[in-house]
Amino acid sequence: MVTIRADEISNIFRERIEQYNREVKIVNTGTVLQVGNGIARIHEGSSVKATRSIAQIPVSEAYLGHVINALANPIDGRGEISASKSRLIESPTPGIISRHSVYEPLQTGFIAIESMISIGHGQRELIIGDRQTGKIAVATYTILNQQGSDYFRGAMEYAIVVAETANSLATLQYLAPYTGATLAKYFMYRKRHTLIIYDDPSKQVQDYRQMSLLLRRPPGHEAYLGDVFYLHSHLLERDAKSSSPLGEGSMTALLIVEI
C-alpha cells in the first residue's frame, strides 16, 4: 500500500499555484446572418471573432511608386510592400496649435493659376468644370511640376496611386480617399510636403448612398446631405501645414469635380 505524505501533497499544490497563469482572454464572437456587397450583420453566438482594433493600414516609404487598393494592398503586380508601421484610417485632424499659417506657394506650372489663384502648401483647392475641359490635365501637370522640388510627389517614382475601379465594392470605393489621405499624412508628419488629388469626390457620394441602403439607414435628403457634408469636410480637414515643432510638413489637396 502506497503511503501518502502530507508534505508531498502540499508541495504539489504549491508548485501548481506558482505555475498558475493569470492571463485572461476575452473574445467577442458572433454569427454572420447576411452578407451583401461587403456589409455583414453580426449576431451573438458564432465563430466570428472581433479583432479589437480600429481599421488601419500599413505605411512606409516603400509604397512610393506603387498602385494599391483601398486596403493598401499592391495591385500593380510588383510584389508585396514591406512596412513595419501602421496608421489609423480614421485619425484626428490636426488641431489649431499643431497647424502653421500657409505661406509657401505651391508651383503648379500654370502662370495663369499662380498669378490669379495662389495655392499654398496645406491648402485645399477645387478643380471643377464640364467634361473634357482640362481638369485632369491641371492636376497632372501640377504633379509633374514638382520634380526636383522638396515635394514628395513628382513622377510615378515619387507617387502613390490608390485605385478602386467601378466594379469594386461600394465600401472599398468609399474607403479609397481615406486610405490616400492616411498615407499622405504619414509623409506630412515626416517633415515632407505632400500633394493628394481626389478624382472625383462626388463618386464617393454614390458609394455612401449604397452603403446607407445596405445598412438600412435613411438615405433621404433630410439626413443624406448633412452626412455627405460631414464626410467631405472631415476628409479635407486633414489637409494642413504642420507647425514648426512638428517639422512644417504639409498636405495639400486638389479636388476634381465634374459638373
Side-chain angles (χ1 to χ4, degrees):
M1 183 175 178
V2 179
T3 303
I4 300 176
R5 298 175 55 184
D7 57 342
E8 292 180 354
I9 297 176
S10 61
N11 290 335
I12 294 174
F13 282 145
R14 187 178 296 105
E15 291 178 358
R16 294 293 178 87
I17 294 174
E18 292 176 353
Q19 296 174 0
Y20 174 71
N21 187 3
R22 298 183 180 180
E23 183 180 357
V24 178
K25 294 183 179 180
I26 300 176
V27 179
N28 295 328
T29 61
T31 301
V32 179
L33 297 181
Q34 182 180 357
V35 177
N37 274 0
I39 304 297
R41 295 184 182 87
I42 307 299
H43 189 269
E44 182 180 354
S46 94
S47 59
V48 179
K49 297 182 180 180
T51 60
R52 302 183 63 86
S53 62
I54 303 176
Q56 52 189 311
I57 61 170
V59 293
S60 72
E61 301 209 13
Y63 276 91
L64 293 172
H66 282 274
V67 181
I68 62 176
N69 59 14
L71 300 178
N73 296 322
I75 57 176
D76 52 7
R78 299 175 55 190
E80 297 296 326
I81 302 175
S82 60
S84 59
K85 297 181 180 180
S86 60
R87 287 189 65 90
L88 296 176
I89 295 178
E90 185 65 30
S91 58
T93 58
I96 298 177
I97 303 301
S98 60
R99 292 175 182 256
H100 196 289
S101 59
V102 176
Y103 67 93
E104 294 178 289
L106 166 66
Q107 304 297 330
T108 63
F110 292 90
I111 298 178
I113 294 178
E114 294 175 1
S115 60
M116 294 184 297
I117 309 171
S118 179
I119 303 175
H121 295 304
Q123 280 190 303
R124 305 172 286 271
E125 290 294 337
L126 177 63
I127 306 175
I128 188 171
D130 296 327
R131 294 190 62 182
Q132 298 182 345
T133 54
K135 302 184 298 297
I136 295 180
V138 172
T140 303
Y141 280 111
T142 302
I143 294 174
L144 296 175
N145 196 60
Q146 309 310 316
Q147 292 185 0
S149 67
D150 187 41
Y151 239 83
F152 224 59
R153 293 291 183 272
M156 189 59 198
E157 182 182 355
Y158 300 106
I160 303 173
V161 178
V162 182
E164 285 295 345
T165 58
N167 60 352
S168 300
L169 297 176
T171 50
L172 296 179
Q173 295 185 49
Y174 165 81
L175 192 63
Y178 295 97
T179 300
T182 302
L183 286 167
K185 202 172 182 180
Y186 165 75
F187 288 105
M188 180 184 73
Y189 284 121
R190 292 176 66 88
K191 305 178 182 181
R192 305 286 179 79
H193 293 301
T194 61
L195 170 66
I196 183 166
I197 298 175
Y198 301 104
D199 179 28
D200 158 4
S202 62
K203 300 296 188 296
Q204 191 186 30
V205 176
Q206 302 174 11
D207 301 328
Y208 179 76
R209 182 176 179 82
Q210 293 184 42
M211 293 174 55
S212 298
L213 293 173
L214 292 170
L215 291 171
R216 297 183 180 180
R217 293 176 179 174
H221 288 284
E222 65 278 0
Y224 178 66
L225 295 179
D227 290 345
V228 172
F229 174 79
Y230 170 78
L231 292 176
H232 288 169
S233 63
H234 185 57
L235 177 65
L236 297 178
E237 283 176 355
R238 306 182 185 200
D239 306 309
K241 169 83 173 172
S242 59
S243 61
S244 298
L246 295 177
E248 295 195 17
S250 67
M251 180 175 167
T252 308
L254 298 179
L255 293 89
I256 301 175
V257 176
E258 180 181 323
I259 59 175

